[in-house]
Amino acid sequence: MSEPVKVLFVCLGNICRSPSAEGVFRHLVGQAGLADRIHIDSCGTGNWHVGKSPDARALAAARQRGIDISDLRARQITEQDLDCHDYILVMDRQNLADVKDLWHQNGGTEPALFLSFGTSSHKEVPDPYYGGEEGFEQVLDLIQDAGEGLLNDIRERIG
Ligand code: 4NP
């Protein structure tokens, strides 16, 4: 069997959006029976929260949808991430600019907006950190929709 397709989700802190994306997409991939074909990880462009669990609001919102992300720990993106992942999917345009800086220096896989795989008019996953709990629901809705599109894209790739 061929190497797993490697997907990396990137946000700013790696405690709200990208660990939520990792959890939701892992759930979708598991339901599709493709867990051994698709490798999933997440990280942040910043280093403030390295080693921390996801934000309590992100944990609670995911748990309400039957998804446990409590084992995830924040880490910062490295140059190596650009070399070893097939998809580098960022949450907003600031993440895109930051990861593109690294990509221009390093090469590797070009980052893209995760919501480019979605059907929503939103092209960015809004940062929920300074807002209320409803922001975390919107994050999960946007991620679920784009995750389904991403899974279809990967299915076409792996045949
Ligand atoms: P995330 O959210 O990028 O979705 O993990 C944030 C988490 C922390 C901060 C900003 C955004 N912060 O400024 O500490």
Side-chain angles (χ1 to χ4, degrees):
M1 188 146 48
S2 53
E3 283 278 293
V5 174
K6 296 189 78 178
V7 177
L8 182 67
F9 295 109
V10 187
C11 63
L12 176 60
N14 194 210
I15 56 169
C16 298
R17 293 166 293 174
S18 62
S20 300
E22 180 176 347
V24 167
F25 193 58
R26 180 165 292 128
H27 191 72
L28 278 172
V29 164
Q31 284 176 329
L34 293 171
D36 57 348
R37 307 290 305 277
I38 304 175
H39 182 274
I40 308 159
D41 197 4
S42 68
C43 64
T45 57
N47 65 1
W48 310 282
H49 300 285
V50 168
K52 294 214 187 118
S53 302
D55 185 282
R57 297 164 294 173
L59 282 169
R63 193 174 298 121
Q64 287 243 332
R65 298 190 190 200
I67 295 169
D68 181 7
I69 55 170
S70 62
D71 60 334
L72 302 184
R73 295 294 178 270
R75 71 175 183 86
Q76 189 174 26
I77 193 167
T78 67
E79 290 173 356
Q80 219 188 1
D81 283 317
L82 299 180
D83 295 329
C84 75
H85 290 94
D86 303 297
Y87 291 81
I88 298 183
L89 300 172
V90 303
M91 300 297 141
D92 63 31
R93 291 193 173 86
Q94 184 60 55
N95 306 150
L96 189 61
D98 292 339
V99 181
K100 273 205 174 165
D101 281 348
L102 197 61
W103 175 67
H104 284 304
Q105 294 160 30
N106 177 80
T109 298
E110 183 174 1
L113 287 168
F114 178 31
L115 296 194
S116 64
F117 288 98
T119 61
S120 160
S121 59
H122 285 85
K123 288 302 159 218
E124 303 182 278
V125 183
D127 183 346
Y129 189 66
Y130 293 107
E133 281 167 14
E134 68 285 356
F136 287 82
E137 295 301 326
Q138 185 191 22
V139 164
L140 290 175
D141 291 342
L142 291 169
I143 282 170
Q144 173 80 26
D145 176 66
E148 287 166 9
L150 174 62
L151 186 55
N152 286 336
D153 194 83
I154 296 176
R155 277 190 209 270
E156 281 173 21
R157 189 172 174 142
I158 63 184

